[in-house]
Amino acid sequence: MSLAFDEYGRPFIIIKEQEQKKRVKGLEAQKANIMAGKSVARILRTSLGPKGMDKMLQSPDGDVTITNDGATILEQMEVENQIGKLMVDLSRSQDFEIGDGTTGVVVTAGALLEQAESLLDRGIHPIRVADGYELASKIAVEQLEKISTKFPLDKDNLEPLIQTCMTTLSSKIVGRCKRTLAEIAVKAVVAVADLERRDVNLDLIKLEGKVGGRLEDTELIDGIIVDKDFSHPQMPKQLEDVKIAILTCPFEPPKPKTKHKVDIDSVEKFETLRQAEKQYFDDMVQKCKDAGATLVICQWGFDDEANHLLMHRNLPAVRWVGGVELELIAIATGGRIVPRFQDLTPDKLGKAGLVRERAFGTTKDRMLSIEKCANSRAVTIFVRGGNKMVIEETKRSIHDALCVARNLIRDNGIVYGGGSAEIACSLAVEAAADKVPGVEQYAMRAFADALDAVPLALAENSGLQPIDTLTAVKAAQVKEGIPHLGIDCNDVGTNDMKKQNVFETLIGKKEQILLATQVVKMILKIDDVITPSTYE
Amino acid sequence: MAGAGGTRILQDEAVEEKGERARMASFVGAMAIADLVKTTLGPKGMDKILQSTGRGQNIMVTNDGATILKSLYVDNPAAKVLVDISKVQDDEVGDGTTSVVVLAGELLREAEKLISQKIHPMTIISGFRAAAETGRGILEKASFNNSKDKDKFRRDLLNIAMTTLSSKILSQDKEHFAELAVDAVLRLQGSGNLEAIQIIQKPGGSLQDSFLDEGFILDKRIGVGQPKRIENAKILVANTPMDTDKIKIYGARVRVDSMSKVADIEAAEKDKMRQKCDKIIQHGINCFVNRQLIYNFPEEIFADAGVMAIEHADFDGIERLALVTGGEIVSTFDDPTTVKLGHCKLIEEIMIGEDKLIHFIGVDKPEACTIVLRGASTHVLEEAERSLHDALCVLSQTVKDSRVIYGGGFPEVMMSNAIEDLARRTPGKRAMAIEAFATALRGIPSTIAENAGLDAAEIVTQLRAEHAKERSKAGVDVIRGTIGNMEELGIYESFKVKQAVLMSATEAAEMIMRVDEIIKCAPRKREGMGHGM
């Protein structure tokens, strides 16, 4: 294998312990990598589009996830192959950046790899293929900008935004009540959006789910929901005009961080210590009271005695609230998180109009909702559904919808969906290819063919004749010069995506093409794979 | 399994199934689960024995769908979906746990036939959705609401309780238990807070001896030498250590240099306890209930003061007691004037079977009550409690949403007829799916009849014909083995339960149908599971 000889003809070893390692070189390596990338893409291919199918994934612990969100599928698949992992990363970065189109990006990358394979077979050097792809992707992005239109964003007319979210949701299991969910998503985004700066902080939108009820019962709560209940069963279940003390110190005896011992050697000391202890609890509660708080939300636990004192002095309290939730509560109510009782002052309290406990079904499950907050810019989407899997999937779907709405607020350029943008790009790249001299021309044509993969998969998943449909739409686009003709997945009867109201964000599409090209280029450049062979 | 060309993408032990095979695997798994619980459906449904794998190999006899499924170890992912919906049905409405699984299984069975005819799952799903929507509409129309008329509503509730109980072990005494359950739920006065109803199991006697008590019964003993009967009791409900009252300040310890000081400190500790007891007594109480242990020393003090002290009432007991007597759970005792004490007219020790229990009569909150279950064995009692719990859940849900519908397969046949009608009016392939939905719905009355040893096909077709008439009230009469008038037979069900069954079964079936690929990750390696699992 990797044996070399020095000038005296003695062999020496380049790779350490080479017997234990597998090595694939040259064209063979590229072929193997392409193969791996393709098979990952093939798994996702059937999940594309409104009629895409779901995948059922069983985790190592036996939990079941059912989803058709590309990023989730790949993440939970536990891919082991190195190239496969690249594809997973690809989908994840699309998820982080855009939040939608995670399936599309992998399918595009897979198609690009497939086309590259046949180019390699013809003896074209991988770098030339990569260069050609790079060129083509530029043209495609230019074309996207050209065909993109501005989305009418208006705070008073949210209808177009809702329509967009509905497109995103229609490919998921929640399609049944996409209208409701889309409205919820849009309202949530608009509530937290900073329209001046065109920015949306999605952290302010909390997705909380509870098994039971129907999907239709999903609601947008103008406030925060915490999966906790009051610390004492006899505290009032509903509070109005609440002043909240948000604490990160426990209602427990002091516990200095330095190691120490308190020695008791006489009865007097015993007595004083007892008094001090009692006083301590009393002081804690009194400090909260003095600051004017009417509700205490604490990150830590309560001692039994302290708990009763709180209850006794009419100071409802919630314990063991997680750090993230605490922060959200602080944002929503405009309060400050206070780490010591001494620091508690009236101006550090948060304010909320209504705090109440909600009970569900026949079990004893209760949740606390904090509504009508001082700063209404934190909202919660409360998801209900028949079972755990539906809820998880609904959460993912709503997250996608939220991302789409956010992207539109950030940048209101849109392109039409249903594969129409890909077809338009494909046509543009094809035309541009003829003008490029050299081998790159082939690569660009291949790129154009690869772009067709998305509309092809869409047509196939919708039960249409893929090639017939694609060629018909393509011909129509050229003939009529309209770039928004696409695949009619829902059997509406028109190919005009503008009429069907199917569109996607420009940045999302751009990112899809750029990311996919980047990853493919990276894969093509690998010509040597060294892996340790299986462990014994 | 492996990716094309021999390149492995997934881990070594991961399993990947695609397309038809995946669909097969999930359909078969889901249907197997449905078939498993199918025989427990209806008044003549059979029970299952479940033996746990844990130590002791405990045995449980039940015909509650949710309980059976919860205890199963299921490996098939699609089957897990069904187990999950059954569990949610239990949590949400309390009953219909078997029906929902059976219906989902029937839906998948019909869907499988359509898929083998090369109809795309998405087409089937859209048909199912349309059918479920129509079904719900029909269900709503067929339901009726008697909540205005108190007597009539009570009769409805009784009927619902009897229908729920008739499929359980309590069916022999269903009138008795239905009365118990309805009384208990009506006492709640619409609050639906089932916590106020306490169920105590006491082996011995017969099921018929079970009774509803208007007060509160605590399964605890009264301390030695203390009064056994108190009238006009003032109760202090507490959660405080009454064994040794430790100093809670971190790092505190006793370090002394002579024996006499040890004695001093001990005396101080004792003194502290005595003071605590005195403070408690100063509340002017004559009954003290603590969640934690009460040691002999404080017990003695209480006995001297003539206070009844009850120790080690568990957390549930304490909370309930606080709820029903109207007292608050106390942990500090410095401020006797503002503490809310609990009240009741009479506390006495009573005997049930051979056990002594403490009975609180005439509590402040009339909503609370206790149901004491008697029965031949613990298995019987456990199953009885489960059944009663189902009935209570359904009733409390019905009190909230008082719409009621006939049972015995009546709603299913009615929906199926309406859905078939919809199929006739729907153009395209979707119609086949809608028709399949109607067929699946008929699976429920057919299963009920089958379990009762009747000719299912005959009964169901008769029912169908009967329902073609206007305003029919026909359903399966299992007892006489024919079809009968559900109103006369008094077989009622809660609308909310039926609706939940329909919606979640459709949702689950849809979810399983949408899957075209199953990827099972390599199971996590566990230490110490090396051999033979």
Side-chain angles (χ1 to χ4, degrees):
Chain A
M1 275 173 89
S2 326
L3 219 55
F5 297 93
D6 63 8
E7 58 262 46
Y8 304 108
R10 282 179 305 208
F12 66 90
I13 291 164
I14 300 172
I15 301 172
K16 223 169 121 191
E17 296 171 342
Q18 60 171 327
E19 298 82 42
Q20 286 168 29
K21 285 180 181 150
K22 270 196 302 204
R23 185 171 175 202
V24 202
K25 272 200 296 191
L27 205 55
E28 207 182 315
Q30 272 135 4
K31 283 274 176 70
N33 291 344
I34 288 174
M35 201 62 95
K38 262 166 61 188
S39 34
V40 170
R42 218 181 33 223
I43 291 176
L44 288 194
R45 205 181 138 92
T46 53
S47 292
L48 196 72
K51 297 273 168 85
M53 304 297 276
D54 289 3
K55 306 278 176 273
M56 190 182 262
L57 301 147
Q58 195 170 23
S59 81
D61 296 323
D63 297 330
V64 179
T65 310
I66 298 179
T67 180
N68 78 7
D69 178 49
T72 315
I73 297 173
L74 289 179
E75 217 156 287
Q76 305 224 345
M77 243 164 60
E78 304 218 344
V79 175
E80 225 188 20
N81 184 290
Q82 306 306 319
I83 301 301
K85 277 184 184 156
L86 274 182
M87 300 294 264
V88 176
D89 273 351
L90 168 68
S91 159
R92 199 180 295 154
S93 54
Q94 173 86 8
D95 194 23
F96 286 161
E97 245 348 271
I98 309 296
D100 188 30
T102 50
T103 316
V105 68
V106 175
V107 171
T108 315
L112 284 173
L113 285 173
E114 201 169 330
Q115 293 295 334
E117 194 180 12
S118 61
L119 292 180
L120 293 183
D121 279 344
R122 291 199 206 163
I124 299 178
H125 193 271
I127 295 296
R128 302 297 289 272
V129 177
D131 288 349
Y133 276 4
E134 180 69 38
L135 228 75
S137 72
K138 277 204 189 100
I139 294 167
V141 169
E142 271 165 31
Q143 174 71 7
L144 275 180
E145 306 229 323
K146 218 185 289 168
I147 61 170
S148 75
T149 44
K150 282 290 169 212
F151 182 77
L153 196 65
D154 181 7
K155 218 169 29 172
D156 304 315
N157 181 17
L158 298 173
E159 191 54 33
L161 215 52
I162 294 172
Q163 291 289 342
T164 323
C165 289
M166 273 165 72
T167 313
T168 313
L169 292 173
S170 63
S171 65
K172 316 278 178 181
I173 194 166
V174 295
R176 183 155 52 87
C177 41
K178 55 182 174 186
R179 174 86 209 177
T180 339
L181 293 182
E183 274 173 21
I184 288 176
V186 171
K187 272 188 206 147
V189 170
V190 171
V192 302
D194 187 345
L195 289 175
E196 301 275 290
R197 279 172 48 233
R198 307 188 79 91
D199 193 20
V200 182
N201 183 1
L202 283 190
D203 287 343
L204 293 175
I205 302 176
K206 199 175 163 224
L207 275 172
E208 191 70 51
K210 188 95 200 162
V211 177
R214 294 178 304 150
L215 260 182
E216 285 83 350
D217 297 335
T218 301
E219 56 180 325
L220 178 71
I221 289 164
D222 197 8
I224 309 274
I225 282 204
V226 193
D227 195 357
K228 292 276 174 301
D229 49 5
F230 284 116
S231 62
H232 198 286
Q234 283 162 316
M235 286 175 181
K237 305 288 178 221
Q238 185 161 344
L239 303 167
E240 275 164 31
D241 286 325
V242 197
K243 291 203 179 113
I244 308 171
I246 306 161
L247 298 171
T248 53
C249 40
F251 274 92
E252 268 165 18
K255 200 171 178 179
K257 291 191 179 75
T258 351
K259 217 175 159 192
H260 69 289
K261 291 257 159 23
V262 180
D263 283 345
I264 304 169
D265 53 10
S266 70
V267 176
E268 291 76 48
K269 279 191 183 163
F270 182 82
E271 291 288 328
T272 10
L273 207 57
R274 229 181 77 199
Q275 291 301 330
E277 181 186 288
K278 218 153 130 193
Q279 195 57 40
Y280 189 78
F281 285 129
D282 220 45
D283 281 356
M284 282 195 294
V285 179
Q286 198 52 44
K287 280 204 179 98
C288 298
K289 264 290 208 219
D290 286 347
T294 51
L295 172 69
V296 175
I297 290 181
C298 183
Q299 196 175 8
W300 303 102
F302 297 166
D303 189 90
D304 276 348
E305 266 183 71
N307 197 7
H308 172 251
L309 269 177
L310 283 168
M311 145 80 194
H312 192 71
R313 304 250 180 111
N314 286 325
L315 192 59
V318 187
R319 56 184 155 181
W320 295 312
V321 177
V324 184
E325 280 148 346
L326 216 60
E327 252 170 59
L328 269 176
I329 293 173
I331 296 173
T333 60
R336 292 264 295 276
I337 299 178
V338 180
R340 271 191 302 268
F341 287 101
Q342 288 83 343
D343 298 347
L344 206 58
T345 51
D347 56 309
K348 284 181 183 163
L349 298 178
K351 288 180 191 65
L354 180 67
V355 176
R356 60 190 166 127
E357 223 177 60
R358 294 170 171 234
F360 303 100
T362 62
T363 48
K364 291 179 191 167
D365 284 349
R366 293 207 185 87
M367 281 176 147
L368 207 64
S369 74
I370 302 170
E371 293 165 52
K372 296 183 194 158
C373 300
N375 175 4
S376 64
R377 294 202 29 218
V379 293
T380 305
I381 297 176
F382 189 54
V383 182
R384 308 299 312 270
N387 57 50
K388 209 170 62 212
M389 289 153 239
V390 169
I391 288 193
E392 287 305 311
E393 179 67 358
T394 310
K395 276 193 194 169
R396 281 191 288 271
S397 311
I398 292 183
H399 177 253
D400 282 4
L402 289 174
C403 289
V404 169
R406 176 194 62 177
N407 293 341
L408 278 176
I409 288 178
R410 270 197 192 154
D411 179 354
N412 62 353
I414 50 162
V415 289
Y416 286 91
S420 65
E422 279 88 354
I423 297 173
C425 289
S426 158
L427 286 170
V429 173
E430 187 98 51
D434 294 340
K435 294 174 200 137
V436 177
V439 187
E440 282 84 0
Q441 200 184 85
Y442 275 91
M444 288 175 69
R445 289 217 181 93
F447 191 92
D449 283 344
L451 281 176
D452 288 345
V454 171
L456 273 178
L458 275 178
E460 206 178 315
N461 291 347
S462 312
L464 303 168
Q465 288 290 332
I467 297 181
D468 281 0
T469 324
L470 176 67
T471 45
V473 172
K474 224 173 183 178
Q477 275 211 8
V478 174
K479 206 168 123 202
E480 295 170 33
I482 312 173
H484 45 77
L485 293 181
I487 310 286
D488 178 18
C489 297
N490 291 327
D491 226 9
V492 179
T494 170
N495 280 329
D496 192 338
M497 290 298 132
K498 210 171 187 170
K499 277 190 199 138
Q500 283 206 20
N501 249 324
V502 178
F503 44 77
E504 289 172 67
T505 54
L506 174 63
I507 19 175
K509 258 286 118 65
K510 251 179 16 194
E511 203 75 8
Q512 248 183 39
I513 291 177
L514 289 176
L515 279 177
T517 317
Q518 257 174 40
V519 166
V520 169
K521 269 170 64 192
M522 196 198 240
I523 294 176
L524 284 175
K525 279 185 179 163
I526 300 169
D527 76 335
D528 201 338
V529 181
I530 302 164
T531 40
S533 59
T534 45
Y535 300 102
E536 285 309 312
Chain B
M1 282 178 71
T7 321
R8 263 207 89 88
I9 318 175
L10 299 168
Q11 286 168 337
D12 277 347
E13 281 170 62
V15 184
E16 189 186 350
E17 279 174 58
K18 280 176 181 287
E20 287 307 304
R21 276 182 59 111
R23 211 163 277 140
M24 263 288 260
S26 50
F27 279 21
V28 167
M31 279 191 278
I33 286 288
D35 285 342
L36 183 82
V37 291
K38 206 173 168 180
T39 53
T40 63
L41 191 73
K44 297 275 166 106
M46 305 300 266
D47 290 4
K48 310 261 176 231
I49 287 191
L50 303 166
Q51 188 172 25
S52 79
T53 49
R55 213 164 28 158
Q57 312 220 313
N58 291 326
I59 289 177
M60 188 154 58
V61 185
T62 181
N63 86 1
D64 180 41
T67 313
I68 298 174
L69 293 178
K70 237 186 287 178
S71 326
L72 286 180
Y73 179 73
V74 188
D75 194 35
N76 187 299
K80 278 189 185 151
V81 176
L82 288 197
V83 173
D84 207 47
I85 56 167
S86 163
K87 215 169 89 205
V88 173
Q89 179 85 8
D90 193 28
D91 289 347
E92 272 300 298
V93 285
D95 194 30
T97 50
T98 314
S99 311
V100 69
V101 176
V102 172
L103 183 57
E106 290 297 326
L107 284 174
L108 287 173
R109 202 185 304 274
E110 292 303 320
E112 194 192 15
K113 285 182 203 153
L114 293 179
I115 287 174
S116 65
Q117 290 171 33
K118 300 273 174 256
I119 293 181
H120 196 273
M122 287 297 168
T123 316
I124 304 178
I125 286 171
S126 83
F128 275 14
R129 278 183 184 172
E133 214 33 63
T134 313
R136 206 165 67 92
I138 291 295
L139 212 54
E140 225 157 82
K141 237 192 278 169
S143 68
F144 47 91
N145 193 337
N146 280 337
S147 60
K148 301 232 167 52
D149 187 340
K150 236 179 173 178
D151 290 337
K152 247 186 172 170
F153 187 52
R154 193 188 146 84
R155 218 193 51 226
D156 283 355
L157 286 180
L158 264 180
N159 281 330
I160 291 176
M162 278 202 268
T163 311
T164 306
L165 292 173
S166 65
S167 59
K168 314 276 167 157
I169 198 167
L170 302 175
S171 62
Q172 262 69 39
D173 313 302
K174 63 180 174 191
E175 285 90 3
H176 181 65
F177 281 99
E179 288 276 350
L180 282 187
V182 171
D183 281 344
V185 169
L186 283 180
R187 286 178 76 86
L188 296 178
Q189 286 160 351
S191 77
N193 183 4
L194 288 183
E195 278 167 60
I197 302 176
Q198 191 195 20
I199 302 179
I200 290 183
Q201 304 175 8
K202 279 283 156 209
S206 77
L207 280 172
Q208 192 74 48
D209 295 336
S210 308
F211 61 92
L212 176 96
D213 193 278
E214 297 193 352
F216 179 81
I217 293 181
L218 195 65
D219 192 357
K220 289 284 172 265
R221 295 286 192 91
I222 298 172
V224 183
Q226 290 161 356
K228 300 281 182 242
R229 182 189 156 89
I230 294 178
E231 276 177 43
N232 284 328
K234 293 195 204 79
I235 309 162
L236 184 70
V237 186
N239 175 16
T240 184
M242 289 299 276
D243 35 9
T244 45
D245 214 355
K246 288 182 216 84
I247 297 258
K248 283 173 192 153
I249 291 171
Y250 188 70
R253 62 168 180 183
V254 177
R255 171 173 285 181
V256 289
D257 44 18
S258 75
M259 276 308 284
S260 64
K261 281 192 177 160
V262 177
D264 283 351
I265 296 218
E266 202 197 336
E269 254 181 12
K270 222 169 181 173
D271 195 46
K272 186 184 170 195
M273 182 53 77
R274 187 189 303 280
Q275 275 176 23
K276 190 170 180 179
C277 292
D278 284 343
K279 269 186 205 152
I280 291 170
I281 294 164
Q282 267 162 30
H283 282 73
I285 53 164
N286 43 22
C287 176
F288 175 71
V289 185
N290 192 15
R291 190 189 136 200
Q292 301 176 26
L293 283 173
I294 302 177
Y295 268 23
N296 287 356
F297 176 62
E299 192 180 323
E300 194 189 313
I301 301 174
F302 287 130
D304 287 345
V307 171
M308 175 194 281
I310 300 163
E311 64 165 2
H312 211 215
D314 48 28
F315 201 77
D316 270 359
I318 280 288
E319 264 188 38
R320 275 210 192 98
L321 196 61
L323 186 77
V324 300
T325 60
E328 62 184 54
I329 301 175
V330 184
S331 295
T332 54
F333 308 97
D334 292 325
D335 201 358
T337 46
T338 54
V339 169
K340 264 192 277 172
L341 297 176
H343 293 281
C344 77
K345 292 216 174 66
L346 180 68
I347 303 176
E348 64 177 351
E349 211 174 46
I350 52 164
M351 298 276 289
I352 297 178
E354 290 184 342
D355 292 318
K356 284 183 190 156
L357 302 170
I358 304 166
H359 192 181
F360 296 78
I361 302 166
V363 290
D364 272 6
K365 213 170 184 179
E367 282 115 82
C369 62
T370 303
I371 295 176
V372 179
L373 287 179
R374 309 299 314 273
S377 76
T378 48
H379 297 151
V380 172
L381 283 174
E382 269 166 31
E383 176 66 358
E385 178 169 349
R386 273 194 293 274
S387 315
L388 199 61
H389 174 255
D390 278 7
L392 288 174
C393 287
V394 176
L395 289 177
S396 75
Q397 292 295 330
T398 317
V399 171
K400 273 188 206 156
D401 181 348
S402 52
R403 281 175 290 180
V404 174
I405 197 161
Y406 298 119
F410 163 84
E412 283 83 5
V413 177
M414 187 151 178
M415 282 191 277
S416 112
N417 275 4
I419 289 168
E420 266 182 349
D421 199 43
L422 172 77
R424 271 196 288 278
R425 284 180 280 116
T426 312
K429 280 188 277 192
R430 260 171 36 147
M432 293 178 78
I434 299 176
E435 225 168 64
F437 196 95
T439 319
L441 275 174
R442 279 198 298 273
I444 297 242
S446 145
T447 310
I448 296 178
E450 217 167 86
N451 286 347
L454 304 174
D455 185 348
E458 175 72 27
I459 295 263
V460 172
T461 42
Q462 274 189 27
L463 260 180
R464 230 167 99 188
E466 194 63 35
H467 272 267
K469 294 177 198 158
E470 281 286 303
R471 251 185 270 274
S472 163
K473 286 168 185 165
V476 186
D477 180 354
V478 178
I479 313 299
R480 278 186 298 152
T482 52
I483 57 170
N485 186 329
M486 288 297 119
E487 189 179 23
E488 282 164 23
L489 289 170
I491 300 178
Y492 286 33
E493 278 188 76
S494 153
F495 167 75
K496 207 169 170 191
V497 171
K498 275 286 157 214
Q499 174 182 307
V501 167
L502 182 72
M503 296 324 269
S504 40
T506 318
E507 215 166 75
E510 179 182 321
M511 204 162 193
I512 293 171
M513 259 188 285
R514 286 175 67 106
V515 171
D516 76 335
E517 180 153 345
I518 302 177
I519 298 167
K520 278 194 208 170
C521 293
R524 201 182 298 285
K525 298 272 186 306
R526 284 195 180 82
E527 307 273 314
M529 288 215 350
H531 60 89
M533 277 300 284

